[in-house]
Amino acid sequence: MSHKIRVATTSLAGCFGCHMSLLDIDERLLELITLVEFERSPINDIKQLEPVDVGIIEGGVANTDNVEVLREFRRQSKILVAIGACAINGGIPAMRNHFELKECLEESYLDGIGVVNPMIPNDPEIPLLLNKVHPIHEVVKVDYVLPGCPPSGDTIWTFLTELLEGRPIHFPYSEIHYD
Amino acid sequence: MNRWRDIPQRSDLLLQYLIDIQQRDSCISTESIQKLSTELAIPAAQIKSVIEFYSFLHTTPRGHFNILFSDNITDQMAGSRALMRQLCQQLNVRQGDPRADGRVTVDTTSCTGMCDQGPALLINNFPITRLDSKRIELIAQLIEQDTPLEQWPAEFFEINDNVHRADILLTHNTEDGDALRALLEEGAETLLQRIGDAELRGRGGAGFKTATKWRLCKQADAAQRIVVCNADEGEPGTFKDRVLLQSYAAQVIEGMTLCAGIIGASKGFIYLRGEYRYLLDSLEKELQRRRDAKLLGNNILDQQGFNFNIEIHLGAGAYICGEESALLESLAGHRGIPQKRPPFPVTRGYLGLPTVVNNVETLMTACQIASHGSDWFTDKGTRQSAGTKLLSISGDCQQPGIYEYPMGTSVSDILIDCGADGPQAVQIAGAAGQTLCHREFKRKIAIEDASTGGSFMVFNRHRDMLDMVQNFAHFFAHESCGFCTPCRVGSTLISNLVDKLYTSHATQNDLRDIERIALVMRHASHCGLGTTASNHILDTFNNFPDAYQRRLRSTEYTPAFDLDLAVCEARAITGRDDDDAHIVCPPQEGFKP
């Protein structure tokens, strides 16, 4: 099995939508797993990251844990791929960048509707939020970006198969237009 | 003051009117724009776009004393930046902003062509050279006392020729009118043939055959033809045209008149860069002297119908206007944007008329060849590059100044002559030229080898070559005309990346980006400025890799923001300061080439 390409995936500040889209390649998953070996990924729930050929990152960087995981992925991956709008631009989570972090936390934990026992959590187990949400290329070097919110299953399939075959990656127009 | 008051208003004089208004009012007000717009029937927006284009024109007032420090690398090497800081401090003024009382502005400008006697500055368009701390102190006092410029010490404004080596061009004086008498006696065809036989090539750097250019213009079908002397000597490190215009103007103007006689032109222009405005009076006087001597004007040397008149147009601080199609646009009163070629200026130039544009040195040389014959010229030089070449030598050498060499002289011989001590590099042909390193010093100054318009800047082994790279990168970002994207965007991206490198924040990745952008600029830019603007980068990449490598952070990648600082708000809100409340930047990964 050692000749298989090893792939790891994770979701940082994202919604797992890109991972759902990965599952949307449907029965081609069976073909995919003849080509690749999934290391750490929410799909198989492996938590430990070993060195891999391809690391796929969904979501932006919103807290200290995201930074740690992302850096670990960069260290262990030969090729790092940013998948989806959040990883590339910050996406929906980055909408909080228009507000102070303090305002966001107060709205969620002190002033929001239905808040019981109001207090801003400060348990050391909980990763701290960054002042702003950042795209992942601002924290580590990224080799490929795969745009879309989410990219379709077909787009992901084209990307993975062409990457695995070592070809320059070309998408049919239908797979990368969002109008 | 108004040089143009005696002639009817012309829209092609727009730039000249604007320069006069700027000089008079220290800015060009909305009212002035409106007035010009009405009088010349040019939309106000177009006038504003012209003002925006030229560095010496402003819509908000400059100080009563407008000071511009020459910011070429040779000025910087001579300490100009520290002197400017001293002056700003003494006058209590911030760079670029007029002082609150409107007395003075201090700023920088591109090379003013005083590299052999720098550091230099321009004050209300007049150059002051050989600046030192004491001179700066005196300048500050004179400004505080509001002493009119005419009463400042005359030695401040002294400009030396500094000719250290003269060959045939600078030693053989022609009598006034010799070339024109030869023309009238022997005929235009013979003279054109003589210049062709002399194998004279354009001295500005491109090396086009002068006789071919003149013949093409002569053959172009038109009622009127134009001769333009390109005195927009903007290439950093070049100042030989300044010396020719100061001390050999008669021969330059006679060269123009000769050209006019040969091709049948009745009108000529000297496009004088704004930085050389101080030469305007002496040039106007020389034109008048020649008119009085019947060497210029109507019926020259009493030859019926041999009419040729010259107007001097000033530039206003735009390097790109040295490019001939941009220069012609500027002459017509427009923004100096380079034009598509063909059509070439010889068929469609100034206002669509066939136009010869020649460098100052070319015209002077043509004048001499007419009197002395073609052998006089071809006896010197190499087979492909006849004659001699004027070099403007500056930087780390004991005797900076003008050197005239036969074409084919080696760089190492020149370095010995000018007293260069331990040179590590020579920047030849200006910021857009080549960076020669030690192993290339055996190369020869010639069209077929190390071609140059005349700039020759020497860097000794103690210099950090990245200082030069940064200076040129800023220069091109400032001087890009903005017309095409590769140059406009590329020059700014490179400038930013070089700054990042300079402050030791760049990584190997940034170097790859710099090289990629430099190549895009070289291949995709609209004109010569863009295609040559990254030469210094690519040359120093090859010849001086250490200058780059030692400035690198030893990692492949640097985050775009301070990671630990990005958690400061959350730390403050939660009151946490444990280890997990911080992001530690990892120890630098080893450098991977």
Side-chain angles (χ1 to χ4, degrees):
Chain A
M1 298 298 274
S2 60
H3 63 280
K4 278 194 187 175
I5 302 286
R6 284 159 306 156
V7 177
T9 74
T10 192
S11 178
L12 305 176
C15 67
F16 284 87
C18 296
H19 276 84
M20 296 308 290
S21 212
L22 174 62
L23 297 177
D24 262 349
I25 63 178
D26 299 329
E27 74 280 5
R28 283 170 293 183
L29 263 178
L30 298 175
E31 196 181 326
L32 187 63
I33 57 169
T34 65
L35 300 170
V36 309
E37 177 87 23
F38 273 96
E39 298 288 337
R40 170 179 169 161
S41 172
I43 294 170
N44 53 22
D45 210 23
I46 296 175
K47 299 284 199 284
Q48 196 62 35
L49 182 58
E50 302 293 331
V52 293
D53 298 300
V54 182
I56 297 176
I57 312 285
E58 171 191 339
V61 183
N63 62 34
T64 53
D65 182 61
N66 294 155
V67 173
E68 194 181 321
V69 171
L70 179 58
R71 283 171 156 185
E72 182 66 10
F73 261 76
R74 178 67 273 185
R75 270 194 293 275
Q76 304 284 18
S77 311
K78 285 187 189 153
I79 293 170
L80 195 71
V81 184
I83 185 172
C86 303
I88 295 169
N89 297 318
I92 297 282
M95 290 174 77
R96 80 158 159 93
N97 290 356
H98 298 289
F99 304 92
E100 296 292 322
L101 178 62
K102 198 161 185 285
E103 294 175 88
C104 298
L105 289 171
E106 284 170 356
E107 179 65 21
S108 299
Y109 294 106
L110 304 181
D111 310 328
I113 296 166
V115 171
V116 184
N117 186 19
M119 69 166 286
I120 292 173
N122 60 357
D123 190 299
E125 291 275 299
I126 302 172
L128 288 181
L129 293 171
L130 305 188
N131 302 351
K132 303 286 175 200
V133 177
H134 294 266
I136 68 169
H137 71 260
E138 291 190 357
V139 179
V140 296
K141 178 173 181 287
V142 172
D143 300 300
Y144 288 94
V145 298
L146 196 53
C149 187
S152 70
D154 288 341
T155 310
I156 295 172
W157 176 250
T158 306
F159 175 76
L160 287 175
T161 49
E162 301 224 338
L163 182 70
L164 294 182
E165 286 175 27
R167 283 203 298 258
I169 295 154
H170 293 293
F171 294 104
Y173 179 67
S174 61
E175 289 180 5
I176 47 162
H177 84 112
Y178 304 100
D179 44 6
Chain B
M1 160 89 148
N2 184 352
R3 298 199 289 134
W4 308 99
R5 63 173 172 265
D6 296 333
I7 62 170
Q9 286 203 320
R10 301 188 334 233
S11 60
D12 66 296
L13 289 176
L14 172 64
L15 176 59
Q16 305 307 308
Y17 298 145
L18 291 173
I19 290 170
D20 282 351
I21 295 169
Q22 172 72 44
Q23 178 95 342
R24 187 188 67 207
D25 300 345
S26 139
C27 78
I28 299 156
S29 64
T30 315
E31 295 75 45
S32 302
I33 294 171
Q34 280 308 337
K35 188 161 173 283
L36 271 179
S37 170
T38 316
E39 289 170 359
L40 300 173
I42 296 175
Q46 193 181 322
I47 296 178
K48 280 183 203 154
S49 81
V50 171
I51 296 170
E52 294 263 307
F53 185 84
Y54 294 95
S55 294
F56 288 179
L57 303 179
H58 305 276
T59 48
T60 52
R62 306 292 282 182
H64 175 56
F65 292 101
N66 186 24
I67 294 179
L68 296 170
F69 277 81
S70 177
D71 204 28
N72 188 26
I73 181 66
T74 55
D75 293 287
Q76 286 183 16
M77 280 161 31
S80 64
R81 286 294 178 91
L83 293 171
M84 182 170 77
R85 278 194 298 274
Q86 183 196 338
L87 186 62
C88 284
Q89 218 164 17
Q90 280 183 298
L91 292 170
N92 194 20
V93 62
R94 278 205 1 226
Q95 185 193 338
D97 297 336
R99 203 166 74 175
D101 63 357
R103 175 72 59 83
V104 62
T105 313
V106 178
D107 210 341
T108 58
T109 189
S110 300
C111 180
T112 60
M114 298 292 166
C115 319
D116 57 335
Q117 43 208 302
L121 59 75
L122 291 172
I123 180 159
N124 297 352
N125 295 313
F126 286 90
I128 300 181
T129 58
R130 293 178 299 273
L131 295 172
D132 55 24
S133 187
K134 200 164 152 246
R135 199 162 263 203
I136 291 288
E137 217 162 280
L138 281 171
I139 290 172
Q141 283 171 16
L142 289 162
I143 289 171
E144 291 296 6
Q145 293 157 4
D146 207 5
T147 311
L149 224 45
E150 303 82 61
Q151 294 167 26
W152 287 32
E155 69 262 23
F156 278 22
F157 302 97
E158 239 169 54
I159 310 293
N160 297 331
D161 279 358
N162 291 336
V163 176
H164 294 303
R165 188 184 195 283
D167 209 299
I168 51 173
L169 192 65
L170 297 181
T171 49
H172 282 66
N173 266 323
T174 50
E175 285 294 311
D176 252 354
D178 269 1
L180 300 181
R181 277 184 286 274
L183 170 68
L184 296 182
E185 281 160 24
E186 302 176 59
E189 190 48 44
T190 311
L191 265 286
L192 189 54
Q193 191 69 43
R194 181 171 301 160
I195 289 163
D197 291 344
E199 300 279 340
L200 174 60
R201 289 168 179 273
R203 270 17 201 172
F208 192 78
K209 285 190 176 169
T210 305
T212 309
K213 187 183 270 187
W214 291 13
R215 190 175 294 283
L216 287 169
C217 188
K218 185 183 171 76
Q219 287 165 349
D221 187 25
Q224 205 188 353
R225 293 181 183 75
I226 308 289
V227 179
V228 176
C229 171
N230 182 349
D232 191 56
E233 187 176 42
E235 195 60 59
T238 324
F239 45 87
K240 46 106 188 161
D241 291 346
R242 160 178 53 83
V243 173
L244 297 184
L245 293 166
Q246 189 160 292
S247 301
Y248 300 84
Q251 295 179 52
V252 176
I253 295 167
E254 185 147 330
M256 290 178 73
T257 318
L258 172 73
C259 175
I262 290 177
I263 67 168
S266 58
K267 188 160 183 167
F269 295 96
I270 297 173
Y271 186 89
L272 184 67
R273 69 187 303 225
E275 291 82 349
Y276 291 172
R277 190 196 174 104
Y278 80 101
L279 290 170
L280 184 62
D281 283 349
S282 64
L283 285 172
E284 291 280 16
K285 275 196 196 106
E286 180 60 25
L287 289 179
Q288 190 54 48
R289 190 187 68 79
R290 294 183 70 83
R291 273 186 221 108
D292 295 343
K294 290 206 151 283
L295 296 169
L296 198 64
N298 293 336
N299 304 323
I300 293 169
L301 292 175
D302 292 323
Q303 176 84 3
Q304 281 300 313
F306 185 4
N307 305 332
F308 184 59
N309 284 294
I310 295 177
E311 262 177 22
I312 302 175
H313 277 217
L314 283 168
Y319 166 72
I320 187 61
C321 291
E323 196 276 346
E324 64 175 2
S325 66
L327 184 151
L328 293 171
E329 282 294 293
S330 183
L331 264 187
H334 304 151
R335 294 158 69 90
I337 305 284
Q339 302 297 298
K340 259 200 317 215
R341 293 178 296 180
F344 289 93
V346 283
T347 51
R348 282 180 61 84
Y350 172 73
L351 304 183
L353 299 168
T355 304
V356 164
V357 183
N358 273 141
N359 177 264
V360 174
E361 186 183 343
T362 313
L363 290 163
M364 172 173 169
T365 310
C367 165
Q368 296 240 10
I369 291 170
S371 326
H372 302 310
S374 55
D375 291 347
W376 169 83
F377 195 64
T378 51
D379 282 350
K380 297 274 181 180
T382 68
R383 260 164 64 105
Q384 284 133 301
S385 311
T388 61
K389 182 77 194 78
L390 294 180
L391 297 181
S392 317
I393 300 184
S394 62
D396 293 318
C397 61
Q398 281 159 24
Q399 287 185 301
I402 300 295
Y403 292 72
E404 184 187 2
Y405 279 105
M407 286 285 201
T409 307
S410 73
V411 171
S412 53
D413 286 348
I414 296 167
L415 285 169
I416 292 167
D417 287 355
C418 70
D421 182 25
Q424 66 165 325
V426 174
Q427 180 69 20
I428 195 174
Q434 287 177 283
T435 314
L436 304 183
C437 67
H438 201 270
R439 65 175 178 279
E440 295 170 292
F441 288 172
K442 58 182 178 297
R443 292 182 62 182
K444 297 177 183 342
I445 300 295
I447 301 279
E448 67 273 19
D449 192 349
S451 178
T452 173
S455 173
F456 192 101
M457 293 185 270
V458 184
F459 298 84
N460 73 23
R461 62 175 180 275
H462 304 299
R463 298 290 177 192
D464 183 348
M465 292 308 291
L466 208 62
D467 287 338
M468 180 198 83
V469 170
Q470 190 187 36
N471 179 281
F472 291 171
H474 288 181
F475 170 76
F476 285 113
H478 177 254
E479 296 293 351
S480 171
C481 81
F483 174 78
C484 77
T485 311
C487 177
R488 181 185 65 246
V489 177
S491 57
T492 296
L493 287 177
I494 284 190
S495 169
N496 293 344
L497 284 169
V498 168
D499 285 350
K500 187 177 176 190
L501 180 65
Y502 202 82
T503 49
S504 297
H505 285 104
T507 66
Q508 195 65 24
N509 256 328
D510 293 307
L511 291 192
R512 281 195 283 271
D513 278 349
I514 290 177
E515 189 169 20
R516 200 166 45 84
I517 297 163
L519 287 169
V520 169
M521 288 177 70
R522 176 177 282 185
H523 297 301
S525 294
H526 175 66
C527 80
L529 188 152
T531 56
T532 57
S534 58
N535 285 352
H536 67 102
I537 298 271
L538 296 167
D539 280 352
T540 48
F541 257 47
N542 281 330
N543 291 341
F544 300 95
D546 286 354
Y548 291 86
Q549 297 294 344
R550 69 163 169 263
R551 295 269 187 168
L552 288 182
R553 282 178 67 109
S554 58
T555 142
E556 274 279 283
Y557 179 90
T558 309
F561 58 98
D562 183 328
L563 292 169
D564 192 51
L565 202 62
V567 199
C568 67
E569 287 178 24
R571 276 197 296 267
I573 295 165
T574 58
R576 280 178 53 186
D577 198 25
D578 53 287
D579 284 354
D580 288 338
H582 288 274
I583 300 179
V584 183
C585 283
Q588 304 296 349
E589 288 165 318
F591 165 65
K592 291 175 229 149

